[in-house]
């Protein structure tokens, strides 16, 4: 009898030992989440990542930190996230420049669609078409007519070959039949500085990049790249009023490594949408030149894939190449 009881006790102990690790597992998240920004501090990606990090930390009750990893037009930091464990603790905040970059710099070791999991879109907004204060044109009509009458005379700046700025400008040139000279820079800061200084005449860039200079009268806005009037700059006329069909929209979003479990993807999407949907956050985005854009992870993923296809087609049409 004692032997039977001993075996029963041993069996119970073994059963407890077997199931104990499963019972001890903690639900996501139970430690610090890192948001990688693949650009230097100070830009819109960094700004929006830090805004969301603060709100997400409160929603999830864990620390959320931002880690800037610039290099290779955003690829360095993006690849770091792609190689991380798909457990939800390493995220990426990047703009739609990732899709234009993919259109001209495809890599065998990194593909946004294959190597990343879309989590949530943060914000979106049109670009602003700006010129230096000495540029003669002041309206979209005057802008188009002046450049069309002087092919190759004016320069347009961008933050680099394959940047969203270049694609937005080349799309306008294709639709309006314009010809101006591309001057690529190694970032938006220098491109903006040279626009203000008069070294280049034209720059099409995001609200966060241009609105402070336009409000300070260091540069002049011609219009916006949305089809209709935009909430970020309701006083600006859409360029589409003189170039039918012209539209370019920038977005910012959150990604995780490929293979992220669906339940963690859904949780992060829900929490991030709650953060950006808050009235004060919506107003903050608007003040920075963007609109909060809560959406499902599935719809965001479709947007990313469609954008890459669209910009690959434009790159072929306009001969946009790295070399």
């Amino acid at each position: 009898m004692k032997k039977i009881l001993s075996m029963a006790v041993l069996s119970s102990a073994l059963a407890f030992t077997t199931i104990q690790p499963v019972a001890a597992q903690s639900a996501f998240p139970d430690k610090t989440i890192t948001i990688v920004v693949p650009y230097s501090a100070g830009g819109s990606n960094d700004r929006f990542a830090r805004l969301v990090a603060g709100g997400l930390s409160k929603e999830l009750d864990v620390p959320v930190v931002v880690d800037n990893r610039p290099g290779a037009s955003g690829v360095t930091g993006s690849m770091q996230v792609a190689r991380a464990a798909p457990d939800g603790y390493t995220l990426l905040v990047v703009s739609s420049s990732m899709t234009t970059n993919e259109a001209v710099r495809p890599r065998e070791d990194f593909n946004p669609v294959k190597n990343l999991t879309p989590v949530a879109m943060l914000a979106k907004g049109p670009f602003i078409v700006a010129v230096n204060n000495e540029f003669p044109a002041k309206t979209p009509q005057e802008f188009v007519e002046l450049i069309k009458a002087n092919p190759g005379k004016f320069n347009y700046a961008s933050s680099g070959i394959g940047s969203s700025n270049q694609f937005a400008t080349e799309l306008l040139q294709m639709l309006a039949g314009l010809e101006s000279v591309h001057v690529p820079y190694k970032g938006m800061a220098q491109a903006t500085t040279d626009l203000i200084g008069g070294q280049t005449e034209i720059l099409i860039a995001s609200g966060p990049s241009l609105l402070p200079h336009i409000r300070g009268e260091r540069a002049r806005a011609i219009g916006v790249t949305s089809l209709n009037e935009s909430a970020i700059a309701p006083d600006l006329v859409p360029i589409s009023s003189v170039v039918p069909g012209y539209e370019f929209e920038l977005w910012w979003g959150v990604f995780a490594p490929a293979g992220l479990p669906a339940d963690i993807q859904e949780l992060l999407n829900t929490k991030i949408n709650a953060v950006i949907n808050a009235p004060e956050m919506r107003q903050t985005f608007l003040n920075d030149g963007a609109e909060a854009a809560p959406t499902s992870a599935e719809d965001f993923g479709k947007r990313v894939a469609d954008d890459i296809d669209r910009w690959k087609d434009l790159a072929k049409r306009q001969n946009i190449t790295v070399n």
Side-chain angles (χ1 to χ4, degrees), residues 99-100 102-103 111 113 167 301-317:
T99 62
T100 56
E102 175 66 17
N111 180 292
V113 174
F167 274 76
K302 185 177 185 305
R303 173 70 180 268
V304 173
D306 288 348
D307 278 2
I308 291 174
D309 289 341
R310 182 187 184 194
W311 303 136
K312 282 183 177 179
D313 180 66
L314 180 63
K316 290 180 181 179
R317 289 170 176 265

Side-chain angles (χ1 to χ4, degrees), residues 111-125:
N111 180 292
V113 174
K114 295 180 180 179
N115 301 128
L116 295 173
T117 297
V119 174
M121 187 183 290
L122 298 179
K124 62 182 181 180

Side-chain angles (χ1 to χ4, degrees), residues 2-125:
K2 288 182 179 181
K3 186 176 181 180
I4 294 174
L5 287 174
S6 297
M7 290 298 292
V9 170
L10 179 60
S11 297
S12 297
L14 287 173
F16 180 79
T17 302
T18 301
I19 64 172
Q20 185 66 15
V22 176
Q25 287 180 351
S26 299
F28 173 86
D30 66 348
K31 62 180 181 180
T32 299
I33 294 173
T34 298
I35 297 178
V36 174
V37 175
Y39 300 99
S40 300
S44 59
N45 293 277
D46 179 70
R47 163 75 169 157
F48 293 164
R50 294 180 188 279
L51 283 173
V52 171
L56 191 59
S57 179
K58 293 178 182 178
E59 286 284 333
L60 296 175
D61 197 28
V62 295
V64 180
V65 300
V66 174
D67 183 15
N68 296 89
R69 296 282 177 166
S73 299
V75 175
T76 300
S78 299
M79 288 183 66
Q80 177 185 334
V81 174
R83 292 168 177 163
D87 54 12
Y89 291 102
T90 304
L91 304 175
L92 174 74
V93 165
V94 70
S95 73
S96 52
S97 60
M98 179 177 68
T99 62
T100 56
N101 194 51
E102 175 66 17
V104 296
R105 287 188 176 91
R107 297 171 61 114
E108 293 183 1
D109 56 349
F110 177 73
N111 180 292
V113 174
K114 295 180 180 179
N115 301 128
L116 295 173
T117 297
V119 174
M121 187 183 290
L122 298 179
K124 62 182 181 180

Side-chain angles (χ1 to χ4, degrees), residues 31-263:
K31 62 180 181 180
T32 299
I33 294 173
T34 298
I35 297 178
V36 174
V37 175
Y39 300 99
S40 300
S44 59
N45 293 277
D46 179 70
R47 163 75 169 157
F48 293 164
R50 294 180 188 279
L51 283 173
V52 171
L56 191 59
S57 179
K58 293 178 182 178
E59 286 284 333
L60 296 175
D61 197 28
V62 295
V64 180
V65 300
V66 174
D67 183 15
N68 296 89
R69 296 282 177 166
S73 299
V75 175
T76 300
S78 299
M79 288 183 66
Q80 177 185 334
V81 174
R83 292 168 177 163
D87 54 12
Y89 291 102
T90 304
L91 304 175
L92 174 74
V93 165
V94 70
S95 73
S96 52
S97 60
M98 179 177 68
T99 62
T100 56
N101 194 51
E102 175 66 17
V104 296
R105 287 188 176 91
R107 297 171 61 114
E108 293 183 1
D109 56 349
F110 177 73
N111 180 292
V113 174
K114 295 180 180 179
N115 301 128
L116 295 173
T117 297
V119 174
M121 187 183 290
L122 298 179
K124 62 182 181 180
F127 275 173
I128 293 174
V129 179
V131 296
N132 65 48
N133 286 331
E134 303 302 317
F135 195 74
K138 294 184 179 180
T139 67
Q141 185 72 39
E142 293 173 351
F143 176 83
V144 169
E145 290 177 352
L146 180 63
I147 298 174
K148 186 173 289 189
N150 297 275
K153 178 179 178 179
F154 302 110
N155 297 327
Y156 80 84
S158 82
S159 58
I161 296 174
S163 65
S164 296
N165 320 104
Q166 182 186 16
F167 274 76
T169 312
E170 290 295 335
L171 179 62
L172 175 59
Q173 297 205 130
M174 181 183 75
L175 294 177
L178 308 180
E179 181 183 340
S180 56
V181 180
H182 181 210
V183 181
Y185 289 86
K186 293 182 179 180
M188 184 51 59
Q190 189 58 51
T192 306
T193 297
D194 276 11
L195 174 77
I196 294 170
Q199 281 74 35
T200 56
E201 289 89 8
I202 305 160
L203 176 59
I204 301 180
S206 68
S209 297
L210 285 176
L211 281 176
H213 303 292
I214 292 168
R215 290 166 179 160
E217 299 185 349
R218 294 181 292 275
R220 188 170 70 250
I222 295 293
V224 289
T225 63
S226 51
L227 281 178
N228 303 302
E229 291 182 356
S230 171
I232 73 164
D235 55 327
L236 295 181
V237 178
I239 300 297
S240 62
S241 63
V242 295
V243 183
Y246 178 62
E247 180 184 23
F248 195 100
E249 185 176 65
L250 181 68
W251 51 254
W252 294 264
V254 181
F255 296 83
L260 182 72
D263 58 335

